[in-house]
Amino acid sequence: MGRKSKALFQKAKKLIPGGVNSPVRAGRAVGMDPRFISRAKGCFLWDVDGKRYIDYVCSWGPMILGHSHPKIVKALEERISKGTSYGAPTRLEVEMAETIVDMVPSIKMVRMVNSGTEATMSAIRLARGYTGREKIVKFEGCYHGHADSLLVSAGSGLATFAIPGCPGVPADLAGHTLSLPFNDLPRFTEAMEKHGPDIAAVIVEPIPGNMGVVLPDMAFLKGLRDLTAKYSALLIFDEVISGFRVSPGGAQELYGVMPDLTCLGKIIGGGLPVGAYGGRKEIMQSMAPEGNIYQAGTLSGNPLAMAAGLATLKELRKQDVYDELEEKSAKLFSGLEDAARAAGLSVVVNRVGSMGSLFFKDKAVTDFATVKASDAQKFRRFYADMLGEGVYLAPSAFEAWFVSTAHDGKSIEKTIESAAKSFAILSQGRQTGQVREKFR
Ligand code: KE4
């Protein structure tokens, strides 16, 4: 860690809890202090000590076109001279709503908010208000932001309701949430047969990115749709990561499973604070001021975020963008697999389009339990080796790598070479150990 980052982190820890404005950035899961970033361009970040990194965090998903994309910079430059926030409706919000409705198959009406957390929190409140029910279902390993109802850990035993995931979450609120294993249709079926008439909503990341990337079993996704319909519960797809990431219409377009509500974020803000939730009109019309379910936000639909988001979506609607992302991502992850194999190291790569993860494990990774069985010590060493090589990964085994259109062949090859060096070291080592428990 460079001198300037070190000094900034020391100062930050005196002023900000853990020295960071979002916990995962502190690097505690990998035992390394954070690099303070000074600027970014394309697929690169530079830290305050001048070191350059190839970036696979991409601000945790938003920067699908890379950093400082000229079209986004231009959109913001043009916009900022007209003011930064009015607290009144703008043409840009209509354009954003029109674009989202156009691109996301199940969304017919949408409300902008300022974060993914606000999007999922609002969608849960809407589902509860619309159905008149209080119980909800989530899945272990899926993370939907930090709203109380979703910061829970699975209870013990079969279909027992959840317990608070951290202090401050009321037990009786957590008790309205059922947390089940992802990709386990029998368990979900059993839970719905027992509680279905009381369930307001089932919320799921259709392609989880918060336990690392795990691929959905098609029968499971279709089972969520069929059983929520059977019991008149709402199906909520949290596409804050997968939305516009894996296809223009997200996971719901890729897999052809239509939720009742969808939560969005990240990419639609082009790197500025944003979230959105939307779905069937007859449901969305329950939201104030048209309906009586309340949700509000001072900066919702902020013109700068709309300008950056619209510029991003406009680029993503161009021909071949997703083919390019697929080609680059396939080259990266197949290169990583080949390098691990050459080093005699067992790794599992899970990938959908330009979101993927690499697990140090010799068997399939299909849910939170199998993620936790991967080798955390190896991941920590790999993370440190890659950072030293100038490759910036998410500082947690529970996160995704993101590839952008700005990642070029040279950067991808450098990443694979750096990984090969680390794999060679790891294949001699004897690091073992479970991934630390996390409530997500
Ligand atoms: P935000 O409130 O952080 O904008 O979004 C919450 C959220 C909701 N749904 C999904 C599927 C998400 O992945 C997230 C946030 N993602 C994390 C990391 N995967 C953001 C990084 C952080 O917490 O600092």
PDB file of all heavy atoms in Angstrom, residues 317-341:
ATOM      1  N   ARG A 317     -27.571   0.224 -26.390  1.00  0.00           N
ATOM      2  CA  ARG A 317     -28.583  -0.193 -27.380  1.00  0.00           C
ATOM      3  C   ARG A 317     -28.003  -0.300 -28.782  1.00  0.00           C
ATOM      4  O   ARG A 317     -28.673  -0.721 -29.715  1.00  0.00           O
ATOM      5  CB  ARG A 317     -29.764   0.789 -27.388  1.00  0.00           C
ATOM      6  CG  ARG A 317     -30.430   0.899 -26.034  1.00  0.00           C
ATOM      7  CD  ARG A 317     -31.676   1.744 -26.072  1.00  0.00           C
ATOM      8  NE  ARG A 317     -32.832   0.931 -26.486  1.00  0.00           N
ATOM      9  CZ  ARG A 317     -34.082   1.393 -26.417  1.00  0.00           C
ATOM     10  NH1 ARG A 317     -34.306   2.640 -26.043  1.00  0.00           N
ATOM     11  NH2 ARG A 317     -35.099   0.611 -26.756  1.00  0.00           N
ATOM     12  N   LYS A 318     -26.711   0.068 -28.882  1.00  0.00           N
ATOM     13  CA  LYS A 318     -26.082  -0.007 -30.205  1.00  0.00           C
ATOM     14  C   LYS A 318     -25.788  -1.474 -30.575  1.00  0.00           C
ATOM     15  O   LYS A 318     -25.582  -2.316 -29.711  1.00  0.00           O
ATOM     16  CB  LYS A 318     -24.791   0.821 -30.238  1.00  0.00           C
ATOM     17  CG  LYS A 318     -25.076   2.328 -30.240  1.00  0.00           C
ATOM     18  CD  LYS A 318     -23.804   3.149 -30.295  1.00  0.00           C
ATOM     19  CE  LYS A 318     -24.127   4.662 -30.376  1.00  0.00           C
ATOM     20  NZ  LYS A 318     -22.897   5.482 -30.170  1.00  0.00           N
ATOM     21  N   GLN A 319     -25.721  -1.735 -31.831  1.00  0.00           N
ATOM     22  CA  GLN A 319     -25.453  -3.073 -32.352  1.00  0.00           C
ATOM     23  C   GLN A 319     -24.177  -3.659 -31.764  1.00  0.00           C
ATOM     24  O   GLN A 319     -23.206  -2.954 -31.546  1.00  0.00           O
ATOM     25  CB  GLN A 319     -25.298  -2.928 -33.888  1.00  0.00           C
ATOM     26  CG  GLN A 319     -25.234  -4.230 -34.652  1.00  0.00           C
ATOM     27  CD  GLN A 319     -26.604  -4.926 -34.697  1.00  0.00           C
ATOM     28  OE1 GLN A 319     -27.634  -4.271 -34.555  1.00  0.00           O
ATOM     29  NE2 GLN A 319     -26.583  -6.237 -34.865  1.00  0.00           N
ATOM     30  N   ASP A 320     -24.167  -4.936 -31.450  1.00  0.00           N
ATOM     31  CA  ASP A 320     -22.945  -5.693 -31.138  1.00  0.00           C
ATOM     32  C   ASP A 320     -22.287  -5.397 -29.790  1.00  0.00           C
ATOM     33  O   ASP A 320     -21.275  -6.014 -29.470  1.00  0.00           O
ATOM     34  CB  ASP A 320     -21.862  -5.501 -32.226  1.00  0.00           C
ATOM     35  CG  ASP A 320     -22.405  -5.886 -33.616  1.00  0.00           C
ATOM     36  OD1 ASP A 320     -23.350  -6.703 -33.650  1.00  0.00           O
ATOM     37  OD2 ASP A 320     -21.902  -5.342 -34.614  1.00  0.00           O
ATOM     38  N   VAL A 321     -22.833  -4.468 -29.007  1.00  0.00           N
ATOM     39  CA  VAL A 321     -22.179  -4.173 -27.715  1.00  0.00           C
ATOM     40  C   VAL A 321     -22.124  -5.427 -26.841  1.00  0.00           C
ATOM     41  O   VAL A 321     -21.089  -5.769 -26.264  1.00  0.00           O
ATOM     42  CB  VAL A 321     -22.914  -3.033 -26.975  1.00  0.00           C
ATOM     43  CG1 VAL A 321     -22.407  -2.899 -25.547  1.00  0.00           C
ATOM     44  CG2 VAL A 321     -22.740  -1.719 -27.720  1.00  0.00           C
ATOM     45  N   TYR A 322     -23.235  -6.167 -26.788  1.00  0.00           N
ATOM     46  CA  TYR A 322     -23.265  -7.356 -25.924  1.00  0.00           C
ATOM     47  C   TYR A 322     -22.443  -8.504 -26.511  1.00  0.00           C
ATOM     48  O   TYR A 322     -21.892  -9.324 -25.773  1.00  0.00           O
ATOM     49  CB  TYR A 322     -24.714  -7.758 -25.636  1.00  0.00           C
ATOM     50  CG  TYR A 322     -25.377  -6.776 -24.685  1.00  0.00           C
ATOM     51  CD1 TYR A 322     -26.045  -5.660 -25.171  1.00  0.00           C
ATOM     52  CD2 TYR A 322     -25.248  -6.916 -23.306  1.00  0.00           C
ATOM     53  CE1 TYR A 322     -26.600  -4.723 -24.297  1.00  0.00           C
ATOM     54  CE2 TYR A 322     -25.796  -5.980 -22.426  1.00  0.00           C
ATOM     55  CZ  TYR A 322     -26.465  -4.886 -22.929  1.00  0.00           C
ATOM     56  OH  TYR A 322     -26.992  -3.945 -22.071  1.00  0.00           O
ATOM     57  N   ASP A 323     -22.309  -8.518 -27.832  1.00  0.00           N
ATOM     58  CA  ASP A 323     -21.424  -9.528 -28.456  1.00  0.00           C
ATOM     59  C   ASP A 323     -19.978  -9.236 -28.051  1.00  0.00           C
ATOM     60  O   ASP A 323     -19.211 -10.150 -27.723  1.00  0.00           O
ATOM     61  CB  ASP A 323     -21.538  -9.486 -29.994  1.00  0.00           C
ATOM     62  CG  ASP A 323     -22.926  -9.914 -30.469  1.00  0.00           C
ATOM     63  OD1 ASP A 323     -23.654 -10.549 -29.651  1.00  0.00           O
ATOM     64  OD2 ASP A 323     -23.293  -9.595 -31.613  1.00  0.00           O
ATOM     65  N   GLU A 324     -19.641  -7.949 -28.041  1.00  0.00           N
ATOM     66  CA  GLU A 324     -18.271  -7.548 -27.648  1.00  0.00           C
ATOM     67  C   GLU A 324     -18.016  -7.904 -26.185  1.00  0.00           C
ATOM     68  O   GLU A 324     -16.983  -8.479 -25.837  1.00  0.00           O
ATOM     69  CB  GLU A 324     -18.097  -6.041 -27.853  1.00  0.00           C
ATOM     70  CG  GLU A 324     -16.736  -5.516 -27.435  1.00  0.00           C
ATOM     71  CD  GLU A 324     -16.651  -3.979 -27.426  1.00  0.00           C
ATOM     72  OE1 GLU A 324     -17.614  -3.319 -27.871  1.00  0.00           O
ATOM     73  OE2 GLU A 324     -15.626  -3.464 -26.932  1.00  0.00           O
ATOM     74  N   LEU A 325     -18.997  -7.605 -25.329  1.00  0.00           N
ATOM     75  CA  LEU A 325     -18.833  -7.935 -23.897  1.00  0.00           C
ATOM     76  C   LEU A 325     -18.690  -9.442 -23.708  1.00  0.00           C
ATOM     77  O   LEU A 325     -17.844  -9.916 -22.936  1.00  0.00           O
ATOM     78  CB  LEU A 325     -20.040  -7.407 -23.108  1.00  0.00           C
ATOM     79  CG  LEU A 325     -20.094  -5.896 -22.892  1.00  0.00           C
ATOM     80  CD1 LEU A 325     -21.468  -5.470 -22.380  1.00  0.00           C
ATOM     81  CD2 LEU A 325     -19.012  -5.436 -21.910  1.00  0.00           C
ATOM     82  N   GLU A 326     -19.475 -10.203 -24.480  1.00  0.00           N
ATOM     83  CA  GLU A 326     -19.423 -11.671 -24.368  1.00  0.00           C
ATOM     84  C   GLU A 326     -18.060 -12.193 -24.805  1.00  0.00           C
ATOM     85  O   GLU A 326     -17.412 -12.992 -24.122  1.00  0.00           O
ATOM     86  CB  GLU A 326     -20.534 -12.308 -25.200  1.00  0.00           C
ATOM     87  CG  GLU A 326     -20.500 -13.832 -25.283  1.00  0.00           C
ATOM     88  CD  GLU A 326     -20.548 -14.524 -23.929  1.00  0.00           C
ATOM     89  OE1 GLU A 326     -21.152 -13.963 -22.985  1.00  0.00           O
ATOM     90  OE2 GLU A 326     -19.952 -15.621 -23.807  1.00  0.00           O
ATOM     91  N   GLU A 327     -17.583 -11.665 -25.916  1.00  0.00           N
ATOM     92  CA  GLU A 327     -16.294 -12.136 -26.455  1.00  0.00           C
ATOM     93  C   GLU A 327     -15.146 -11.841 -25.475  1.00  0.00           C
ATOM     94  O   GLU A 327     -14.339 -12.714 -25.144  1.00  0.00           O
ATOM     95  CB  GLU A 327     -16.047 -11.443 -27.804  1.00  0.00           C
ATOM     96  CG  GLU A 327     -14.849 -11.955 -28.577  1.00  0.00           C
ATOM     97  CD  GLU A 327     -14.424 -10.946 -29.655  1.00  0.00           C
ATOM     98  OE1 GLU A 327     -15.272 -10.142 -30.078  1.00  0.00           O
ATOM     99  OE2 GLU A 327     -13.234 -10.949 -30.022  1.00  0.00           O
ATOM    100  N   LYS A 328     -15.131 -10.625 -24.953  1.00  0.00           N
ATOM    101  CA  LYS A 328     -14.053 -10.236 -24.022  1.00  0.00           C
ATOM    102  C   LYS A 328     -14.128 -11.034 -22.720  1.00  0.00           C
ATOM    103  O   LYS A 328     -13.119 -11.488 -22.186  1.00  0.00           O
ATOM    104  CB  LYS A 328     -14.151  -8.737 -23.731  1.00  0.00           C
ATOM    105  CG  LYS A 328     -13.796  -7.889 -24.929  1.00  0.00           C
ATOM    106  CD  LYS A 328     -13.881  -6.402 -24.662  1.00  0.00           C
ATOM    107  CE  LYS A 328     -13.324  -5.614 -25.843  1.00  0.00           C
ATOM    108  NZ  LYS A 328     -13.347  -4.150 -25.625  1.00  0.00           N
ATOM    109  N   SER A 329     -15.350 -11.240 -22.231  1.00  0.00           N
ATOM    110  CA  SER A 329     -15.523 -11.953 -20.958  1.00  0.00           C
ATOM    111  C   SER A 329     -15.165 -13.426 -21.121  1.00  0.00           C
ATOM    112  O   SER A 329     -14.517 -14.022 -20.245  1.00  0.00           O
ATOM    113  CB  SER A 329     -16.966 -11.803 -20.475  1.00  0.00           C
ATOM    114  OG  SER A 329     -17.312 -10.424 -20.434  1.00  0.00           O
ATOM    115  N   ALA A 330     -15.571 -14.003 -22.249  1.00  0.00           N
ATOM    116  CA  ALA A 330     -15.236 -15.417 -22.495  1.00  0.00           C
ATOM    117  C   ALA A 330     -13.725 -15.586 -22.592  1.00  0.00           C
ATOM    118  O   ALA A 330     -13.148 -16.532 -22.027  1.00  0.00           O
ATOM    119  CB  ALA A 330     -15.913 -15.892 -23.781  1.00  0.00           C
ATOM    120  N   LYS A 331     -13.065 -14.645 -23.249  1.00  0.00           N
ATOM    121  CA  LYS A 331     -11.596 -14.712 -23.381  1.00  0.00           C
ATOM    122  C   LYS A 331     -10.935 -14.629 -22.005  1.00  0.00           C
ATOM    123  O   LYS A 331     -10.045 -15.424 -21.669  1.00  0.00           O
ATOM    124  CB  LYS A 331     -11.116 -13.546 -24.267  1.00  0.00           C
ATOM    125  CG  LYS A 331      -9.622 -13.462 -24.433  1.00  0.00           C
ATOM    126  CD  LYS A 331      -9.220 -12.315 -25.317  1.00  0.00           C
ATOM    127  CE  LYS A 331      -7.688 -12.182 -25.262  1.00  0.00           C
ATOM    128  NZ  LYS A 331      -7.107 -11.687 -26.472  1.00  0.00           N
ATOM    129  N   LEU A 332     -11.422 -13.724 -21.174  1.00  0.00           N
ATOM    130  CA  LEU A 332     -10.839 -13.559 -19.833  1.00  0.00           C
ATOM    131  C   LEU A 332     -11.013 -14.828 -19.008  1.00  0.00           C
ATOM    132  O   LEU A 332     -10.043 -15.409 -18.507  1.00  0.00           O
ATOM    133  CB  LEU A 332     -11.491 -12.372 -19.118  1.00  0.00           C
ATOM    134  CG  LEU A 332     -11.138 -12.228 -17.639  1.00  0.00           C
ATOM    135  CD1 LEU A 332      -9.666 -11.849 -17.461  1.00  0.00           C
ATOM    136  CD2 LEU A 332     -12.038 -11.214 -16.941  1.00  0.00           C
ATOM    137  N   PHE A 333     -12.246 -15.275 -18.878  1.00  0.00           N
ATOM    138  CA  PHE A 333     -12.514 -16.375 -17.936  1.00  0.00           C
ATOM    139  C   PHE A 333     -12.019 -17.727 -18.455  1.00  0.00           C
ATOM    140  O   PHE A 333     -11.571 -18.568 -17.668  1.00  0.00           O
ATOM    141  CB  PHE A 333     -14.000 -16.400 -17.563  1.00  0.00           C
ATOM    142  CG  PHE A 333     -14.372 -15.324 -16.574  1.00  0.00           C
ATOM    143  CD1 PHE A 333     -14.938 -14.130 -16.994  1.00  0.00           C
ATOM    144  CD2 PHE A 333     -14.095 -15.487 -15.224  1.00  0.00           C
ATOM    145  CE1 PHE A 333     -15.242 -13.123 -16.083  1.00  0.00           C
ATOM    146  CE2 PHE A 333     -14.401 -14.486 -14.304  1.00  0.00           C
ATOM    147  CZ  PHE A 333     -14.965 -13.302 -14.730  1.00  0.00           C
ATOM    148  N   SER A 334     -12.019 -17.915 -19.761  1.00  0.00           N
ATOM    149  CA  SER A 334     -11.449 -19.184 -20.254  1.00  0.00           C
ATOM    150  C   SER A 334      -9.934 -19.151 -20.098  1.00  0.00           C
ATOM    151  O   SER A 334      -9.299 -20.154 -19.768  1.00  0.00           O
ATOM    152  CB  SER A 334     -11.829 -19.420 -21.722  1.00  0.00           C
ATOM    153  OG  SER A 334     -11.359 -18.347 -22.514  1.00  0.00           O
ATOM    154  N   GLY A 335      -9.357 -17.956 -20.227  1.00  0.00           N
ATOM    155  CA  GLY A 335      -7.920 -17.809 -19.994  1.00  0.00           C
ATOM    156  C   GLY A 335      -7.550 -18.104 -18.545  1.00  0.00           C
ATOM    157  O   GLY A 335      -6.545 -18.764 -18.256  1.00  0.00           O
ATOM    158  N   LEU A 336      -8.390 -17.670 -17.634  1.00  0.00           N
ATOM    159  CA  LEU A 336      -8.147 -17.934 -16.201  1.00  0.00           C
ATOM    160  C   LEU A 336      -8.252 -19.439 -15.920  1.00  0.00           C
ATOM    161  O   LEU A 336      -7.433 -20.023 -15.207  1.00  0.00           O
ATOM    162  CB  LEU A 336      -9.143 -17.155 -15.344  1.00  0.00           C
ATOM    163  CG  LEU A 336      -9.015 -15.622 -15.366  1.00  0.00           C
ATOM    164  CD1 LEU A 336     -10.202 -14.974 -14.642  1.00  0.00           C
ATOM    165  CD2 LEU A 336      -7.701 -15.164 -14.728  1.00  0.00           C
ATOM    166  N   GLU A 337      -9.268 -20.055 -16.515  1.00  0.00           N
ATOM    167  CA  GLU A 337      -9.435 -21.515 -16.317  1.00  0.00           C
ATOM    168  C   GLU A 337      -8.228 -22.272 -16.873  1.00  0.00           C
ATOM    169  O   GLU A 337      -7.708 -23.186 -16.235  1.00  0.00           O
ATOM    170  CB  GLU A 337     -10.720 -21.992 -17.010  1.00  0.00           C
ATOM    171  CG  GLU A 337     -12.006 -21.606 -16.276  1.00  0.00           C
ATOM    172  CD  GLU A 337     -13.263 -22.012 -17.050  1.00  0.00           C
ATOM    173  OE1 GLU A 337     -13.330 -21.698 -18.266  1.00  0.00           O
ATOM    174  OE2 GLU A 337     -14.147 -22.636 -16.441  1.00  0.00           O
ATOM    175  N   ASP A 338      -7.773 -21.886 -18.044  1.00  0.00           N
ATOM    176  CA  ASP A 338      -6.618 -22.567 -18.656  1.00  0.00           C
ATOM    177  C   ASP A 338      -5.371 -22.387 -17.790  1.00  0.00           C
ATOM    178  O   ASP A 338      -4.621 -23.340 -17.556  1.00  0.00           O
ATOM    179  CB  ASP A 338      -6.339 -22.005 -20.071  1.00  0.00           C
ATOM    180  CG  ASP A 338      -7.462 -22.308 -21.054  1.00  0.00           C
ATOM    181  OD1 ASP A 338      -8.327 -23.170 -20.702  1.00  0.00           O
ATOM    182  OD2 ASP A 338      -7.514 -21.685 -22.120  1.00  0.00           O
ATOM    183  N   ALA A 339      -5.194 -21.176 -17.269  1.00  0.00           N
ATOM    184  CA  ALA A 339      -4.003 -20.906 -16.443  1.00  0.00           C
ATOM    185  C   ALA A 339      -4.053 -21.721 -15.157  1.00  0.00           C
ATOM    186  O   ALA A 339      -3.042 -22.278 -14.721  1.00  0.00           O
ATOM    187  CB  ALA A 339      -3.939 -19.407 -16.129  1.00  0.00           C
ATOM    188  N   ALA A 340      -5.246 -21.833 -14.560  1.00  0.00           N
ATOM    189  CA  ALA A 340      -5.362 -22.630 -13.326  1.00  0.00           C
ATOM    190  C   ALA A 340      -5.084 -24.100 -13.619  1.00  0.00           C
ATOM    191  O   ALA A 340      -4.341 -24.776 -12.892  1.00  0.00           O
ATOM    192  CB  ALA A 340      -6.756 -22.454 -12.739  1.00  0.00           C
ATOM    193  N   ARG A 341      -5.629 -24.559 -14.728  1.00  0.00           N
ATOM    194  CA  ARG A 341      -5.421 -25.979 -15.097  1.00  0.00           C
ATOM    195  C   ARG A 341      -3.930 -26.238 -15.319  1.00  0.00           C
ATOM    196  O   ARG A 341      -3.374 -27.210 -14.840  1.00  0.00           O
ATOM    197  CB  ARG A 341      -6.231 -26.297 -16.366  1.00  0.00           C
ATOM    198  CG  ARG A 341      -6.439 -27.771 -16.629  1.00  0.00           C
ATOM    199  CD  ARG A 341      -7.360 -28.027 -17.829  1.00  0.00           C
ATOM    200  NE  ARG A 341      -8.672 -27.376 -17.684  1.00  0.00           N
ATOM    201  CZ  ARG A 341      -9.089 -26.352 -18.438  1.00  0.00           C
ATOM    202  NH1 ARG A 341      -8.289 -25.858 -19.362  1.00  0.00           N
ATOM    203  NH2 ARG A 341     -10.290 -25.817 -18.260  1.00  0.00           N
TER     204      ARG A 341
END
